[in-house]
Amino acid sequence: MLVWRSINITVPNNVQFSLGNFIKHLPSSTISCPYRLSTKTLVTTSALSSSSYFETLTSRQKDQLNLYVHTLLEWNQRMNLTAVREVNEVMERHIEDSLSILPPIKNSYVSHCNNSINNINLVDVGSGAGLPGLILAIACPDWKVTLLESMNKRCVFLEHVIGLTGLSNVKVVRGRAENLGQDLCFREQFDVAVARAVAEMRILAEYCLPLVRVGGLFVAAKGHDPQEEVRNAERAIQMMGASLLQLCSVESQSPYGQRTAIICLKDHSTPRKYPRDPGTPAKEPL
């Protein structure tokens, strides 16, 4: 059950993000990914940004992003949340990456799931420091977001930053994807599952797809050239009851280059034996 909170945000005086800084680092685009992937050929579609996704955010959302980045860097001094140490790097490598998968999610959901993009129930598997789930929750306050994380110290950070930013559409669940995928309270309960910087696709398929409802999406945020990894994962994706839908690339203006959203459509229920016991998917990928 989500805990609804109302809280005023106080942004630290020593941290100032200008509109120009956000626009410089945050990409956006109207992304069109019309190609369905076959097992023979992988087609990557790409689109260049023409306007900033930041421009669609309210002043409150901008303050929430500001406060998140400040808190992440502050907590990172005493626990390992990210290898990034500078504000600009956080913007380029984390905030930009997280926001860049929003257009592919929305486009694919409307096109293939026959549903409105309002009130999406989304799970971020292996959320870590809340990337991308917490950023998506800020950008889409009408979505219900579950941050799934197995490490207690990261869950403590997530709960802290949720309270600090006043987000009312997020909950944190401490646990392993293998266990929650067998729990009827979570199994096939989500419209969309996302994962970023967690594992290779063969493993991610077994972590994420059991959590997705039939007719929902699994979206993995990857680097600029994931096609070999995707080919290796096709069997695992099919075994989980899904099909490879499309690869959407988003050109970033940061020095870290192109990003790719790998999108899978859940066609039918995942066999009950999946996911396997904790640790097995990583040790023995399908």
Side-chain angles (χ1 to χ4, degrees):
M1 180 177 293
L2 294 177
V3 177
W4 304 95
R5 301 183 178 92
S6 177
I7 185 170
N8 292 325
I9 296 176
T10 302
V11 179
N13 293 329
N14 63 339
V15 179
Q16 296 292 330
F17 291 165
S18 68
L19 175 61
N21 188 43
F22 269 93
I23 292 177
K24 176 182 176 183
H25 295 300
L26 296 182
S28 68
S29 60
T30 302
I31 294 183
S32 177
C33 306
Y35 303 105
R36 188 174 181 88
L37 298 177
S38 71
T39 57
K40 301 290 186 181
T41 305
L42 297 180
V43 179
T44 302
T45 62
S46 64
L48 292 174
S49 300
S50 59
S51 62
S52 173
Y53 211 96
F54 176 79
E55 294 170 1
T56 69
L57 302 181
T58 66
S59 59
R60 176 176 173 81
Q61 289 169 321
K62 296 168 191 176
D63 285 344
Q64 287 171 318
L65 281 176
N66 184 330
L67 192 53
Y68 169 80
V69 172
H70 169 79
T71 307
L72 174 66
L73 291 175
E74 181 181 47
W75 279 57
N76 201 48
Q77 294 176 18
R78 57 181 185 271
M79 69 168 60
N80 183 27
L81 291 168
T82 175
V84 176
R85 297 292 185 268
E86 302 295 332
V87 169
N88 284 348
E89 280 192 288
V90 174
M91 298 305 301
E92 291 171 349
R93 295 180 62 178
H94 292 328
I95 306 301
E96 176 180 351
D97 274 6
S98 298
L99 288 175
S100 71
I101 67 172
L102 268 174
I105 291 174
K106 292 182 176 182
N107 180 284
S108 298
Y109 197 78
V110 170
S111 298
H112 299 281
C113 302
N114 299 316
N115 284 305
S116 166
I117 58 172
N118 297 324
N119 302 313
I120 284 177
N121 189 12
L122 179 145
V123 60
D124 178 15
V125 177
S127 188
L131 302 160
L134 199 61
I135 308 306
L136 300 183
I138 290 173
C140 303
D142 57 335
W143 291 8
K144 293 181 180 180
V145 177
T146 298
L147 307 178
L148 173 56
E149 173 55 46
S150 63
M151 294 185 64
N152 183 64
K153 67 177 182 178
R154 291 175 181 170
C155 291
V156 171
F157 166 76
L158 293 172
E159 291 283 8
H160 173 77
V161 79
I162 288 169
L164 201 62
T165 54
L167 289 171
S168 59
N169 60 331
V170 189
K171 68 176 179 180
V172 179
V173 175
R174 182 187 174 191
R176 295 185 63 112
E178 300 99 319
N179 291 329
L180 269 68
Q182 291 290 355
D183 187 331
L184 294 181
C185 292
F186 297 94
R187 184 179 178 87
E188 299 192 335
Q189 296 299 306
F190 296 94
D191 301 311
V192 178
V194 298
R196 174 183 179 270
V198 175
E200 64 166 294
M201 279 297 296
R202 290 184 298 167
I203 301 169
L204 282 180
E206 191 169 356
Y207 285 167
C208 297
L209 281 165
L211 298 168
V212 179
R213 67 169 175 85
V214 175
L217 298 177
F218 161 44
V219 181
K222 290 290 183 178
H224 73 285
D225 187 20
Q227 294 206 18
E228 182 177 356
E229 181 180 344
V230 172
R231 287 192 185 95
N232 292 337
E234 285 184 357
R235 178 172 176 270
I237 291 168
Q238 292 169 2
M239 291 175 69
M240 295 302 110
S243 58
L244 196 55
L245 189 62
Q246 53 205 13
L247 272 63
C248 294
S249 64
V250 178
E251 294 290 347
S252 169
Q253 300 305 312
S254 79
Y256 302 98
Q258 189 183 77
R259 302 289 185 262
T260 305
I262 302 169
I263 303 175
C264 301
L265 178 66
K266 184 79 170 277
D267 301 307
H268 53 269
S269 292
T270 300
R272 199 68 182 87
K273 63 181 178 180
Y274 299 114
R276 293 168 290 170
D277 291 338
T280 303
K283 293 176 183 176
E284 302 174 12
L286 296 171

